[in-house]
Amino acid sequence: PAGSPVVSEEQQQQLDLLSALDLRREMPPPRAPKNFLSLLFQVLSPLMSLVGAVLGSVYREVCSIRFLFTAVSLLSVFAAALWWGLLYLAPPLENEPREMLTISEYHQRVNSQGQQLQQLQAELVKLHKEVSSVRAAHSERVAKLVFQRLNEDFVRKPDYALSSVGASIDLEKTSLDYEDTNTVYFWNRLSFWNYARPPSVILEPDVFPGNCWAFEGDQGQVVIRLPGRVQLSDITLQHPPPSVAHTGGASSAPRDFAVFGLLVDDETEVFLGKFTFDVHKSEIQTFQLQNDPPSAFPKMKIQILSNWGHPRFTCLYRVRAHGVRTSEWAGDGATGATGSH
């Protein structure tokens, strides 16, 4: 304005600077800005709500029946396409049947296989019967062979005191049979009593407990007619071992005995030896006779001198006579046979 002092440009800049400083001093201090996190939450809150709503809608859509049906349909279509590709596009297997069977043809084949199975079963039954018969025959043959071996003469010497070859008992010169006075006579005659066996049982090969000839006491004798004149060399006695005896021992077995040969006159006796049968050794024992010079006898006498302790009777099971047969004796009314061998 007119009349104002002239201010230079430099002074004017200083004045402006001072004025600005004065204005800053007079202005109130600025307020502190709001919390940044709260502002950020306010900005993002609508966005999060929108995202949550979208996710909820998608979850409900996935869980809905329509989505499940759609997924199953798509999977079915995919599986059918895969099966069709494997069935028609893949090369057929060598063992795969090339033709389809009808129901009637299938039943026919089943019936045919059933008939074949029935025939096979019949053949198996027939084969089983044949095998059973063969087995039974084989078992019977084996059993006969075993019994034959058991009944075989293990002494390996000819037995001239065997009833099947003509030997017999001279009852007039043989001790009486043992009879139990406590047992009824009727039952003895029906052979219900073990000791009611005739003396001829000692000439049989069947040796089993109870099948023996018993005489009273511990001393007795038996005279055996031989099937011809025999040069006696050995004698064999057999008695079941104590282990198989029903009484638990062999006290009725003969112990000490003597052997004599009877000449043709039926009176002259030739002493052939005295022996002891030991029941603790073996059930079959052979004794060598003292027939020197050798003589042939039509009869043989065995005299029992003692037993192994039984107070009432003595049992004699089997007696074997060994030697060489010379001829049939002549003039002996017991056999009436003549001849030579």
Side-chain angles (χ1 to χ4, degrees):
S4 297
V6 180
V7 180
S8 62
E9 183 178 357
E10 184 179 355
Q11 292 178 352
Q12 186 64 37
Q13 290 179 356
Q14 291 179 356
L15 290 175
D16 292 337
L17 180 59
L18 292 174
S19 298
L21 291 175
D22 292 338
L23 289 174
R24 286 185 180 181
R25 291 174 182 173
E26 292 178 358
M27 290 177 61
R31 293 180 298 177
K34 295 183 178 180
N35 191 357
F36 176 76
L37 294 177
S38 62
L39 293 177
L40 182 61
F41 178 77
Q42 292 178 0
V43 174
L44 295 179
S45 178
L47 182 60
M48 294 178 62
S49 299
L50 180 60
V51 172
V54 172
L55 292 177
S57 300
V58 172
Y59 178 76
R60 287 192 297 271
E61 184 67 20
V62 170
C63 296
S64 63
I65 299 176
R66 182 178 59 186
F67 177 80
L68 293 177
F69 179 77
T70 303
V72 171
S73 300
L74 292 175
L75 290 176
S76 301
V77 171
F78 177 75
L82 182 61
W83 175 255
W84 180 84
L86 293 176
L87 186 62
Y88 291 97
L89 298 180
L93 299 176
E94 295 181 358
N95 297 330
E96 184 179 359
R98 298 180 180 273
E99 58 179 358
M100 299 296 294
L101 297 178
T102 62
I103 297 179
S104 60
E105 292 176 348
Y106 177 76
H107 284 296
Q108 290 178 0
R109 290 196 177 184
V110 170
N111 293 332
S112 176
Q113 293 178 357
Q115 293 176 0
Q116 293 178 0
L117 288 176
Q118 291 178 357
Q119 293 178 359
L120 181 60
Q121 185 177 4
E123 292 293 335
L124 288 176
V125 172
K126 183 178 178 180
L127 181 61
H128 178 70
K129 291 181 179 179
E130 293 178 356
V131 171
S132 299
S133 62
V134 172
R135 184 181 299 173
H138 181 69
S139 300
E140 184 178 0
R141 184 165 61 254
V142 171
K144 289 182 179 179
L145 182 61
V146 170
F147 283 113
Q148 181 180 355
R149 291 291 182 267
L150 290 176
N151 293 327
E152 200 176 41
D153 189 357
F154 293 100
V155 181
R156 302 293 183 182
K157 294 182 179 181
D159 181 15
Y160 294 103
L162 193 63
S163 61
S164 60
V165 299
S168 60
I169 300 295
D170 188 349
L171 296 178
E172 294 181 358
K173 296 181 179 296
T174 300
S175 300
L176 298 177
D177 300 345
Y178 170 75
E179 293 183 2
D180 190 355
T181 56
N182 296 327
T183 307
V184 182
Y185 178 78
F186 174 74
W187 297 114
N188 282 336
R189 288 305 177 188
L190 289 181
S191 299
F192 277 81
W193 184 246
N194 285 336
Y195 304 111
R197 298 289 191 274
S200 60
V201 73
I202 68 175
L203 309 180
E204 301 294 335
D206 297 330
V207 178
F208 52 87
N211 190 37
C212 67
W213 170 60
F215 58 87
E216 188 173 1
D218 59 351
Q219 296 183 357
Q221 68 179 28
V222 59
V223 176
I224 302 174
R225 296 189 186 95
L226 303 175
R229 296 183 181 182
V230 180
Q231 293 180 0
L232 298 174
S233 60
D234 303 275
I235 184 175
T236 299
L237 266 62
Q238 181 175 355
H239 193 91
S243 59
V244 300
H246 291 78
T247 57
S251 59
S252 63
R255 185 170 184 172
D256 299 322
F257 66 96
V259 181
F260 300 88
L262 276 65
L263 298 179
V264 180
D265 59 6
D266 207 17
E267 295 293 337
T268 305
E269 298 180 352
V270 178
F271 179 75
L272 300 179
K274 180 181 178 182
F275 311 97
T276 300
F277 182 84
D278 191 352
V279 294
H280 303 293
K281 288 185 178 180
S282 174
E283 63 270 19
I284 301 177
Q285 299 178 29
T286 301
F287 307 91
Q288 186 175 2
L289 301 177
Q290 305 171 9
N291 190 7
D292 189 22
S295 302
F297 304 100
K299 294 183 181 180
M300 176 184 65
K301 183 178 80 171
I302 301 175
Q303 186 175 6
I304 307 299
L305 304 177
S306 63
N307 63 16
W308 283 89
H310 201 287
R312 290 182 293 138
F313 56 82
T314 302
C315 286
L316 197 60
Y317 275 84
R318 186 181 177 186
V319 176
R320 296 177 176 90
H322 312 296
V324 179
R325 183 176 179 179
T326 59
S327 65
E328 300 283 351
W329 65 83
D332 193 341
T335 62
T338 61
S340 61
H341 294 271

